[in-house]
PDB file of all heavy atoms in Angstrom:
ATOM      1  N   TRP A  31       0.850  -1.200  -0.010  1.00  0.00           N
ATOM      2  CA  TRP A  31      -0.009  -0.040  -0.007  1.00  0.00           C
ATOM      3  C   TRP A  31       0.894   1.263   0.009  1.00  0.00           C
ATOM      4  O   TRP A  31       1.893   1.367   0.719  1.00  0.00           O
ATOM      5  CB  TRP A  31      -0.923   0.027   1.250  1.00  0.00           C
ATOM      6  CG  TRP A  31      -2.033  -1.004   1.187  1.00  0.00           C
ATOM      7  CD1 TRP A  31      -1.989  -2.279   1.741  1.00  0.00           C
ATOM      8  CD2 TRP A  31      -3.280  -0.809   0.609  1.00  0.00           C
ATOM      9  NE1 TRP A  31      -3.181  -2.868   1.547  1.00  0.00           N
ATOM     10  CE2 TRP A  31      -4.045  -1.998   0.795  1.00  0.00           C
ATOM     11  CE3 TRP A  31      -3.905   0.206  -0.141  1.00  0.00           C
ATOM     12  CZ2 TRP A  31      -5.338  -2.202   0.307  1.00  0.00           C
ATOM     13  CZ3 TRP A  31      -5.215  -0.021  -0.588  1.00  0.00           C
ATOM     14  CH2 TRP A  31      -5.848  -1.199  -0.353  1.00  0.00           C
ATOM     15  N   TYR A  32       0.511   2.213  -0.830  1.00  0.00           N
ATOM     16  CA  TYR A  32       1.168   3.503  -0.932  1.00  0.00           C
ATOM     17  C   TYR A  32       0.090   4.529  -0.616  1.00  0.00           C
ATOM     18  O   TYR A  32      -1.081   4.296  -0.756  1.00  0.00           O
ATOM     19  CB  TYR A  32       1.789   3.759  -2.211  1.00  0.00           C
ATOM     20  CG  TYR A  32       3.022   2.925  -2.557  1.00  0.00           C
ATOM     21  CD1 TYR A  32       2.918   1.579  -2.787  1.00  0.00           C
ATOM     22  CD2 TYR A  32       4.268   3.539  -2.609  1.00  0.00           C
ATOM     23  CE1 TYR A  32       4.096   0.790  -3.065  1.00  0.00           C
ATOM     24  CE2 TYR A  32       5.394   2.791  -2.840  1.00  0.00           C
ATOM     25  CZ  TYR A  32       5.329   1.434  -3.115  1.00  0.00           C
ATOM     26  OH  TYR A  32       6.404   0.665  -3.354  1.00  0.00           O
ATOM     27  N   ARG A  33       0.508   5.779  -0.301  1.00  0.00           N
ATOM     28  CA  ARG A  33      -0.442   6.845  -0.116  1.00  0.00           C
ATOM     29  C   ARG A  33       0.170   8.118  -0.637  1.00  0.00           C
ATOM     30  O   ARG A  33       1.412   8.287  -0.699  1.00  0.00           O
ATOM     31  CB  ARG A  33      -0.832   7.025   1.341  1.00  0.00           C
ATOM     32  CG  ARG A  33       0.259   7.473   2.247  1.00  0.00           C
ATOM     33  CD  ARG A  33      -0.227   7.466   3.726  1.00  0.00           C
ATOM     34  NE  ARG A  33       0.797   7.931   4.678  1.00  0.00           N
ATOM     35  CZ  ARG A  33       0.620   7.852   5.932  1.00  0.00           C
ATOM     36  NH1 ARG A  33      -0.482   7.382   6.484  1.00  0.00           N
ATOM     37  NH2 ARG A  33       1.643   8.284   6.755  1.00  0.00           N
ATOM     38  N   GLN A  34      -0.726   9.012  -1.072  1.00  0.00           N
ATOM     39  CA  GLN A  34      -0.242  10.347  -1.630  1.00  0.00           C
ATOM     40  C   GLN A  34      -1.190  11.463  -1.162  1.00  0.00           C
ATOM     41  O   GLN A  34      -2.440  11.386  -1.447  1.00  0.00           O
ATOM     42  CB  GLN A  34      -0.204  10.301  -3.153  1.00  0.00           C
ATOM     43  CG  GLN A  34       0.383  11.536  -3.798  1.00  0.00           C
ATOM     44  CD  GLN A  34       0.599  11.310  -5.302  1.00  0.00           C
ATOM     45  OE1 GLN A  34      -0.017  10.483  -5.954  1.00  0.00           O
ATOM     46  NE2 GLN A  34       1.544  12.066  -5.819  1.00  0.00           N
ATOM     47  N   ALA A  35      -0.682  12.354  -0.488  1.00  0.00           N
ATOM     48  CA  ALA A  35      -1.404  13.609  -0.064  1.00  0.00           C
ATOM     49  C   ALA A  35      -1.244  14.668  -1.119  1.00  0.00           C
ATOM     50  O   ALA A  35      -0.281  14.595  -1.859  1.00  0.00           O
ATOM     51  CB  ALA A  35      -0.875  14.072   1.293  1.00  0.00           C
ATOM     52  N   PRO A  36      -2.146  15.576  -1.191  1.00  0.00           N
ATOM     53  CA  PRO A  36      -2.088  16.674  -2.173  1.00  0.00           C
ATOM     54  C   PRO A  36      -0.775  17.410  -2.142  1.00  0.00           C
ATOM     55  O   PRO A  36      -0.346  17.806  -1.044  1.00  0.00           O
ATOM     56  CB  PRO A  36      -3.242  17.612  -1.807  1.00  0.00           C
ATOM     57  CG  PRO A  36      -4.227  16.671  -1.195  1.00  0.00           C
ATOM     58  CD  PRO A  36      -3.398  15.688  -0.415  1.00  0.00           C
ATOM     59  N   GLY A  37      -0.079  17.543  -3.261  1.00  0.00           N
ATOM     60  CA  GLY A  37       1.130  18.272  -3.382  1.00  0.00           C
ATOM     61  C   GLY A  37       2.350  17.516  -2.955  1.00  0.00           C
ATOM     62  O   GLY A  37       3.434  18.101  -2.850  1.00  0.00           O
ATOM     63  N   LYS A  38       2.176  16.242  -2.515  1.00  0.00           N
ATOM     64  CA  LYS A  38       3.273  15.465  -2.071  1.00  0.00           C
ATOM     65  C   LYS A  38       3.498  14.248  -2.881  1.00  0.00           C
ATOM     66  O   LYS A  38       2.659  13.831  -3.715  1.00  0.00           O
ATOM     67  CB  LYS A  38       3.062  14.965  -0.585  1.00  0.00           C
ATOM     68  CG  LYS A  38       2.900  16.105   0.410  1.00  0.00           C
ATOM     69  CD  LYS A  38       2.735  15.609   1.789  1.00  0.00           C
ATOM     70  CE  LYS A  38       2.691  16.737   2.806  1.00  0.00           C
ATOM     71  NZ  LYS A  38       2.509  16.242   4.208  1.00  0.00           N
ATOM     72  N   GLN A  39       4.669  13.668  -2.791  1.00  0.00           N
ATOM     73  CA  GLN A  39       5.028  12.466  -3.532  1.00  0.00           C
ATOM     74  C   GLN A  39       4.380  11.235  -2.922  1.00  0.00           C
ATOM     75  O   GLN A  39       4.062  11.203  -1.711  1.00  0.00           O
ATOM     76  CB  GLN A  39       6.552  12.263  -3.578  1.00  0.00           C
ATOM     77  CG  GLN A  39       7.303  13.342  -4.356  1.00  0.00           C
ATOM     78  CD  GLN A  39       6.952  13.290  -5.786  1.00  0.00           C
ATOM     79  OE1 GLN A  39       6.947  12.250  -6.457  1.00  0.00           O
ATOM     80  NE2 GLN A  39       6.706  14.475  -6.421  1.00  0.00           N
ATOM     81  N   ARG A  40       4.165  10.242  -3.731  1.00  0.00           N
ATOM     82  CA  ARG A  40       3.613   9.021  -3.252  1.00  0.00           C
ATOM     83  C   ARG A  40       4.639   8.293  -2.362  1.00  0.00           C
ATOM     84  O   ARG A  40       5.812   8.201  -2.687  1.00  0.00           O
ATOM     85  CB  ARG A  40       3.221   8.110  -4.417  1.00  0.00           C
ATOM     86  CG  ARG A  40       2.435   6.844  -4.015  1.00  0.00           C
ATOM     87  CD  ARG A  40       1.965   6.097  -5.334  1.00  0.00           C
ATOM     88  NE  ARG A  40       1.171   6.932  -6.154  1.00  0.00           N
ATOM     89  CZ  ARG A  40       0.546   6.500  -7.242  1.00  0.00           C
ATOM     90  NH1 ARG A  40       0.746   5.224  -7.641  1.00  0.00           N
ATOM     91  NH2 ARG A  40      -0.209   7.281  -7.982  1.00  0.00           N
ATOM     92  N   GLU A  41       4.210   7.753  -1.206  1.00  0.00           N
ATOM     93  CA  GLU A  41       5.153   7.112  -0.317  1.00  0.00           C
ATOM     94  C   GLU A  41       4.607   5.717   0.098  1.00  0.00           C
ATOM     95  O   GLU A  41       3.391   5.495   0.113  1.00  0.00           O
ATOM     96  CB  GLU A  41       5.279   7.953   0.960  1.00  0.00           C
ATOM     97  CG  GLU A  41       4.000   8.130   1.813  1.00  0.00           C
ATOM     98  CD  GLU A  41       4.188   8.951   3.022  1.00  0.00           C
ATOM     99  OE1 GLU A  41       5.381   9.361   3.344  1.00  0.00           O
ATOM    100  OE2 GLU A  41       3.205   9.197   3.828  1.00  0.00           O
ATOM    101  N   LEU A  42       5.551   4.883   0.372  1.00  0.00           N
ATOM    102  CA  LEU A  42       5.218   3.471   0.820  1.00  0.00           C
ATOM    103  C   LEU A  42       4.642   3.470   2.250  1.00  0.00           C
ATOM    104  O   LEU A  42       5.254   4.128   3.098  1.00  0.00           O
ATOM    105  CB  LEU A  42       6.479   2.607   0.708  1.00  0.00           C
ATOM    106  CG  LEU A  42       6.286   1.176   1.242  1.00  0.00           C
ATOM    107  CD1 LEU A  42       5.304   0.412   0.335  1.00  0.00           C
ATOM    108  CD2 LEU A  42       7.605   0.513   1.396  1.00  0.00           C
ATOM    109  N   VAL A  43       3.580   2.785   2.449  1.00  0.00           N
ATOM    110  CA  VAL A  43       2.912   2.674   3.741  1.00  0.00           C
ATOM    111  C   VAL A  43       3.276   1.314   4.340  1.00  0.00           C
ATOM    112  O   VAL A  43       3.741   1.217   5.484  1.00  0.00           O
ATOM    113  CB  VAL A  43       1.444   2.801   3.632  1.00  0.00           C
ATOM    114  CG1 VAL A  43       0.759   2.590   5.082  1.00  0.00           C
ATOM    115  CG2 VAL A  43       1.046   4.174   3.135  1.00  0.00           C
ATOM    116  N   ALA A  44       3.041   0.231   3.578  1.00  0.00           N
ATOM    117  CA  ALA A  44       3.331  -1.078   4.034  1.00  0.00           C
ATOM    118  C   ALA A  44       3.398  -2.031   2.858  1.00  0.00           C
ATOM    119  O   ALA A  44       2.857  -1.817   1.809  1.00  0.00           O
ATOM    120  CB  ALA A  44       2.220  -1.573   5.030  1.00  0.00           C
ATOM    121  N   SER A  45       4.127  -3.089   3.048  1.00  0.00           N
ATOM    122  CA  SER A  45       4.259  -4.130   2.065  1.00  0.00           C
ATOM    123  C   SER A  45       4.328  -5.531   2.720  1.00  0.00           C
ATOM    124  O   SER A  45       4.603  -5.636   3.909  1.00  0.00           O
ATOM    125  CB  SER A  45       5.516  -3.966   1.165  1.00  0.00           C
ATOM    126  OG  SER A  45       6.677  -4.116   1.962  1.00  0.00           O
ATOM    127  N   ILE A  46       4.061  -6.545   1.957  1.00  0.00           N
ATOM    128  CA  ILE A  46       4.080  -7.909   2.478  1.00  0.00           C
ATOM    129  C   ILE A  46       4.549  -8.860   1.418  1.00  0.00           C
ATOM    130  O   ILE A  46       4.127  -8.843   0.228  1.00  0.00           O
ATOM    131  CB  ILE A  46       2.654  -8.317   3.030  1.00  0.00           C
ATOM    132  CG1 ILE A  46       2.684  -9.628   3.761  1.00  0.00           C
ATOM    133  CG2 ILE A  46       1.598  -8.241   1.927  1.00  0.00           C
ATOM    134  CD1 ILE A  46       1.479  -9.924   4.616  1.00  0.00           C
ATOM    135  N   THR A  47       5.396  -9.806   1.810  1.00  0.00           N
ATOM    136  CA  THR A  47       5.933 -10.766   0.861  1.00  0.00           C
ATOM    137  C   THR A  47       4.991 -12.019   0.715  1.00  0.00           C
ATOM    138  O   THR A  47       4.006 -12.101   1.410  1.00  0.00           O
ATOM    139  CB  THR A  47       7.298 -11.201   1.297  1.00  0.00           C
ATOM    140  OG1 THR A  47       7.205 -12.024   2.494  1.00  0.00           O
ATOM    141  CG2 THR A  47       8.219 -10.042   1.597  1.00  0.00           C
ATOM    142  N   THR A  48       5.400 -12.847  -0.183  1.00  0.00           N
ATOM    143  CA  THR A  48       4.639 -14.117  -0.380  1.00  0.00           C
ATOM    144  C   THR A  48       4.673 -15.019   0.839  1.00  0.00           C
ATOM    145  O   THR A  48       3.815 -15.904   1.020  1.00  0.00           O
ATOM    146  CB  THR A  48       5.107 -14.871  -1.621  1.00  0.00           C
ATOM    147  OG1 THR A  48       6.479 -15.112  -1.457  1.00  0.00           O
ATOM    148  CG2 THR A  48       4.860 -14.025  -2.873  1.00  0.00           C
ATOM    149  N   THR A  49       5.720 -14.872   1.678  1.00  0.00           N
ATOM    150  CA  THR A  49       5.822 -15.606   2.920  1.00  0.00           C
ATOM    151  C   THR A  49       5.315 -14.896   4.081  1.00  0.00           C
ATOM    152  O   THR A  49       5.617 -15.221   5.237  1.00  0.00           O
ATOM    153  CB  THR A  49       7.280 -15.997   3.124  1.00  0.00           C
ATOM    154  OG1 THR A  49       8.115 -14.908   3.111  1.00  0.00           O
ATOM    155  CG2 THR A  49       7.735 -16.996   2.041  1.00  0.00           C
ATOM    156  N   ASN A  50       4.534 -13.883   3.917  1.00  0.00           N
ATOM    157  CA  ASN A  50       3.831 -13.083   4.960  1.00  0.00           C
ATOM    158  C   ASN A  50       4.818 -12.313   5.833  1.00  0.00           C
ATOM    159  O   ASN A  50       4.559 -12.161   7.038  1.00  0.00           O
ATOM    160  CB  ASN A  50       2.952 -13.966   5.792  1.00  0.00           C
ATOM    161  CG  ASN A  50       1.675 -14.364   5.102  1.00  0.00           C
ATOM    162  OD1 ASN A  50       1.244 -13.756   4.113  1.00  0.00           O
ATOM    163  ND2 ASN A  50       1.025 -15.437   5.570  1.00  0.00           N
ATOM    164  N   ILE A  51       5.901 -11.841   5.282  1.00  0.00           N
ATOM    165  CA  ILE A  51       6.786 -10.966   5.993  1.00  0.00           C
ATOM    166  C   ILE A  51       6.430  -9.513   5.741  1.00  0.00           C
ATOM    167  O   ILE A  51       6.456  -9.015   4.577  1.00  0.00           O
ATOM    168  CB  ILE A  51       8.248 -11.179   5.646  1.00  0.00           C
ATOM    169  CG1 ILE A  51       8.636 -12.696   5.934  1.00  0.00           C
ATOM    170  CG2 ILE A  51       9.128 -10.276   6.335  1.00  0.00           C
ATOM    171  CD1 ILE A  51      10.016 -13.069   5.486  1.00  0.00           C
ATOM    172  N   PRO A  52       5.939  -8.788   6.743  1.00  0.00           N
ATOM    173  CA  PRO A  52       5.507  -7.379   6.532  1.00  0.00           C
ATOM    174  C   PRO A  52       6.618  -6.400   6.716  1.00  0.00           C
ATOM    175  O   PRO A  52       7.605  -6.668   7.438  1.00  0.00           O
ATOM    176  CB  PRO A  52       4.422  -7.209   7.578  1.00  0.00           C
ATOM    177  CG  PRO A  52       4.941  -8.012   8.712  1.00  0.00           C
ATOM    178  CD  PRO A  52       5.665  -9.229   8.094  1.00  0.00           C
ATOM    179  N   ASP A  53       6.427  -5.260   6.101  1.00  0.00           N
ATOM    180  CA  ASP A  53       7.323  -4.136   6.326  1.00  0.00           C
ATOM    181  C   ASP A  53       6.450  -2.866   6.381  1.00  0.00           C
ATOM    182  O   ASP A  53       5.509  -2.729   5.577  1.00  0.00           O
ATOM    183  CB  ASP A  53       8.327  -4.012   5.178  1.00  0.00           C
ATOM    184  CG  ASP A  53       9.481  -3.011   5.495  1.00  0.00           C
ATOM    185  OD1 ASP A  53       9.683  -2.736   6.672  1.00  0.00           O
ATOM    186  OD2 ASP A  53      10.098  -2.598   4.532  1.00  0.00           O
ATOM    187  N   TYR A  54       6.785  -1.962   7.310  1.00  0.00           N
ATOM    188  CA  TYR A  54       5.957  -0.748   7.500  1.00  0.00           C
ATOM    189  C   TYR A  54       6.817   0.538   7.497  1.00  0.00           C
ATOM    190  O   TYR A  54       7.975   0.507   7.928  1.00  0.00           O
ATOM    191  CB  TYR A  54       5.231  -0.808   8.867  1.00  0.00           C
ATOM    192  CG  TYR A  54       4.289  -1.985   8.991  1.00  0.00           C
ATOM    193  CD1 TYR A  54       4.679  -3.184   9.647  1.00  0.00           C
ATOM    194  CD2 TYR A  54       3.005  -1.908   8.502  1.00  0.00           C
ATOM    195  CE1 TYR A  54       3.813  -4.217   9.707  1.00  0.00           C
ATOM    196  CE2 TYR A  54       2.094  -2.988   8.658  1.00  0.00           C
ATOM    197  CZ  TYR A  54       2.547  -4.164   9.287  1.00  0.00           C
ATOM    198  OH  TYR A  54       1.719  -5.183   9.403  1.00  0.00           O
ATOM    199  N   ALA A  55       6.172   1.565   7.078  1.00  0.00           N
ATOM    200  CA  ALA A  55       6.767   2.898   7.231  1.00  0.00           C
ATOM    201  C   ALA A  55       6.801   3.247   8.721  1.00  0.00           C
ATOM    202  O   ALA A  55       5.887   2.861   9.417  1.00  0.00           O
ATOM    203  CB  ALA A  55       6.010   3.936   6.418  1.00  0.00           C
ATOM    204  N   ASP A  56       7.839   4.017   9.150  1.00  0.00           N
ATOM    205  CA  ASP A  56       7.947   4.352  10.529  1.00  0.00           C
ATOM    206  C   ASP A  56       6.668   5.061  11.087  1.00  0.00           C
ATOM    207  O   ASP A  56       6.259   4.910  12.195  1.00  0.00           O
ATOM    208  CB  ASP A  56       9.184   5.202  10.762  1.00  0.00           C
ATOM    209  CG  ASP A  56      10.442   4.456  10.610  1.00  0.00           C
ATOM    210  OD1 ASP A  56      10.467   3.180  10.711  1.00  0.00           O
ATOM    211  OD2 ASP A  56      11.497   5.094  10.439  1.00  0.00           O
ATOM    212  N   ALA A  57       6.061   5.859  10.231  1.00  0.00           N
ATOM    213  CA  ALA A  57       4.930   6.650  10.600  1.00  0.00           C
ATOM    214  C   ALA A  57       3.688   5.831  11.016  1.00  0.00           C
ATOM    215  O   ALA A  57       2.811   6.332  11.708  1.00  0.00           O
ATOM    216  CB  ALA A  57       4.543   7.706   9.545  1.00  0.00           C
ATOM    217  N   VAL A  58       3.645   4.601  10.552  1.00  0.00           N
ATOM    218  CA  VAL A  58       2.414   3.771  10.811  1.00  0.00           C
ATOM    219  C   VAL A  58       2.739   2.543  11.633  1.00  0.00           C
ATOM    220  O   VAL A  58       1.818   1.795  11.930  1.00  0.00           O
ATOM    221  CB  VAL A  58       1.779   3.337   9.481  1.00  0.00           C
ATOM    222  CG1 VAL A  58       1.467   4.563   8.637  1.00  0.00           C
ATOM    223  CG2 VAL A  58       2.645   2.356   8.746  1.00  0.00           C
ATOM    224  N   LYS A  59       3.956   2.296  11.973  1.00  0.00           N
ATOM    225  CA  LYS A  59       4.289   1.136  12.845  1.00  0.00           C
ATOM    226  C   LYS A  59       3.550   1.168  14.112  1.00  0.00           C
ATOM    227  O   LYS A  59       3.473   2.136  14.856  1.00  0.00           O
ATOM    228  CB  LYS A  59       5.797   1.082  13.109  1.00  0.00           C
ATOM    229  CG  LYS A  59       6.635   0.704  11.886  1.00  0.00           C
ATOM    230  CD  LYS A  59       8.100   0.643  12.253  1.00  0.00           C
ATOM    231  CE  LYS A  59       8.925   0.222  11.022  1.00  0.00           C
ATOM    232  NZ  LYS A  59      10.396   0.208  11.353  1.00  0.00           N
ATOM    233  N   GLY A  60       2.991  -0.015  14.484  1.00  0.00           N
ATOM    234  CA  GLY A  60       2.182  -0.161  15.695  1.00  0.00           C
ATOM    235  C   GLY A  60       0.729   0.253  15.551  1.00  0.00           C
ATOM    236  O   GLY A  60      -0.095  -0.038  16.428  1.00  0.00           O
ATOM    237  N   ARG A  61       0.371   0.856  14.386  1.00  0.00           N
ATOM    238  CA  ARG A  61      -0.983   1.254  14.180  1.00  0.00           C
ATOM    239  C   ARG A  61      -1.661   0.544  13.034  1.00  0.00           C
ATOM    240  O   ARG A  61      -2.860   0.263  13.036  1.00  0.00           O
ATOM    241  CB  ARG A  61      -1.082   2.786  13.898  1.00  0.00           C
ATOM    242  CG  ARG A  61      -0.569   3.591  15.155  1.00  0.00           C
ATOM    243  CD  ARG A  61      -0.821   5.126  14.855  1.00  0.00           C
ATOM    244  NE  ARG A  61      -0.146   5.601  13.757  1.00  0.00           N
ATOM    245  CZ  ARG A  61      -0.763   6.121  12.665  1.00  0.00           C
ATOM    246  NH1 ARG A  61      -2.077   6.264  12.662  1.00  0.00           N
ATOM    247  NH2 ARG A  61      -0.011   6.618  11.684  1.00  0.00           N
ATOM    248  N   PHE A  62      -0.873   0.279  11.994  1.00  0.00           N
ATOM    249  CA  PHE A  62      -1.378  -0.386  10.766  1.00  0.00           C
ATOM    250  C   PHE A  62      -0.910  -1.806  10.765  1.00  0.00           C
ATOM    251  O   PHE A  62       0.199  -2.136  11.183  1.00  0.00           O
ATOM    252  CB  PHE A  62      -0.953   0.329   9.487  1.00  0.00           C
ATOM    253  CG  PHE A  62      -1.509   1.695   9.317  1.00  0.00           C
ATOM    254  CD1 PHE A  62      -2.246   2.364  10.313  1.00  0.00           C
ATOM    255  CD2 PHE A  62      -1.283   2.371   8.090  1.00  0.00           C
ATOM    256  CE1 PHE A  62      -2.758   3.647  10.097  1.00  0.00           C
ATOM    257  CE2 PHE A  62      -1.852   3.643   7.943  1.00  0.00           C
ATOM    258  CZ  PHE A  62      -2.532   4.259   8.871  1.00  0.00           C
TER     259      PHE A  62
END
């Protein structure tokens, strides 16, 4: 998942591999 706010570049929010290994942006860790 990526997100883009008005006037800003698209940024990575979270990703997940085929083996269910997740990765999160620092801004959303613990919440998403």
Side-chain angles (χ1 to χ4, degrees):
W31 290 93
Y32 290 71
R33 66 186 181 187
Q34 186 171 24
K38 297 183 178 180
Q39 294 293 314
R40 189 174 301 183
E41 63 178 0
L42 175 67
V43 177
S45 64
I46 187 167
T47 69
T48 56
T49 54
N50 285 341
I51 299 175
D53 192 21
Y54 299 96
D56 289 340
V58 306
K59 287 182 178 178
R61 299 188 297 119
F62 292 10

